[in-house]
Each structure stands twice: as structure tokens, then as C-alpha cells.
Amino acid sequence: MRRSGELERAIMDALWEAQDPRTAKEVLATLAEEKLAHTTVITVLDRLTRKGLARRERVGRSWRYAPAASRESYVSSLMIDALGRATDREAVLVHFAHSMSGPEADALRSALATADGADEGDQSGEAGQGRHRA
């Protein structure tokens, strides 16, 4: 049996992989290997909606669910949340950097260069505050 967070991720995966919004029944069908009740899927979808991770729309008598943001945006928010729990953010970032492959490090360098360029163009002086630079 999956833990709650694992089930949320599996359901979000089903939503991200869908071309169109899905009903709870359709989501459950993609989780066929699981022994889940329809009501469990509805509960998790409602929880994801309250968290702002999914959105829903009424179609006839059913709700249809879709992701509220991209998978990349979601994973990024998880990383930011994890970093926020650290007592030594710099140490966490160093460990994270050392765990990256060469292409991942290159992508991060490129993203940081782009972010630094955006900060320089910001006239308010607020962008990038609180961020540690190596």
C-alpha cells in the first residue's frame, strides 16, 4: 500500500500524462495495479485541488481534474520547500551540486546566468534577495 504522498504523486502523474482533464474514475483506471477505492481517489483529488496542485471543472454530474501547473513547476516547489527546511541552506546546495551530473550542472549554470541577468535588469533591487551566490 502506498503512503499518502506517494499516492498523491501517482495521481498527479496520471493527470500530467493525460491529454485532457480526467474524472476520478478515469484516474483510478490508470492506477489499475493498485487496490484503491473510488472514494479514496476522489479524496486525494480533492486534497490536491485544495493544495492548488490540481484544478477541477464540473462536466455534467462529474468533476474533471487537471494539473494546475507543470510537473517541472511542481518538482521545483518541492525542492524549494525542502531547502526551506534546512538549517544550513548553503551546505544543502553544496551537497546538491555535488550530486549532479555534468549536463545537469551545465543546465543549472545556464539557469543561474539567466536569473542573474534578470536580477540586473530589475530596477526595484528586490529580485534575488535572500539568495546565496557562490
Side-chain angles (χ1 to χ4, degrees):
M1 176 139 178
R2 292 181 191 240
R3 292 189 346 233
S4 177
E6 293 170 349
L7 182 55
E8 285 185 3
R9 280 192 298 275
I11 288 175
M12 286 303 301
D13 284 340
L15 295 179
W16 282 312
E17 292 165 9
Q19 297 299 317
D20 298 308
R22 289 186 167 179
T23 64
K25 185 176 181 179
E26 292 167 333
V27 170
L28 180 59
T30 67
L31 305 171
E33 75 280 356
E34 299 288 328
K35 299 272 195 250
L36 295 171
H38 181 259
T39 55
T40 300
V41 175
I42 291 172
T43 299
V44 173
L45 284 164
D46 287 343
R47 185 180 317 136
L48 290 167
T49 301
R50 283 193 309 275
K51 289 180 176 183
L53 299 171
R55 59 182 170 75
R56 69 182 184 181
E57 60 185 49
R58 177 73 83 174
V59 177
R61 293 178 47 185
S62 299
W63 288 105
R64 295 183 91 48
Y65 296 85
S70 69
R71 184 186 317 252
E72 294 77 15
S73 176
Y74 171 71
V75 172
S76 173
S77 69
L78 291 175
M79 293 168 68
I80 291 166
D81 288 346
L83 186 59
R85 291 186 180 108
T87 55
D88 187 347
R89 293 170 67 111
E90 186 172 339
V92 171
L93 290 169
V94 168
H95 283 281
F96 181 70
H98 286 280
S99 71
M100 296 179 141
S101 68
E104 291 168 337
D106 290 343
L108 182 58
R109 278 188 208 87
S110 177
L112 289 171
T114 302
D116 285 344
D119 289 350
E120 291 169 7
D122 183 12
Q123 299 299 318
S124 70
E126 293 178 16
Q129 284 190 3
R131 187 171 62 204
H132 297 279
R133 297 193 187 171

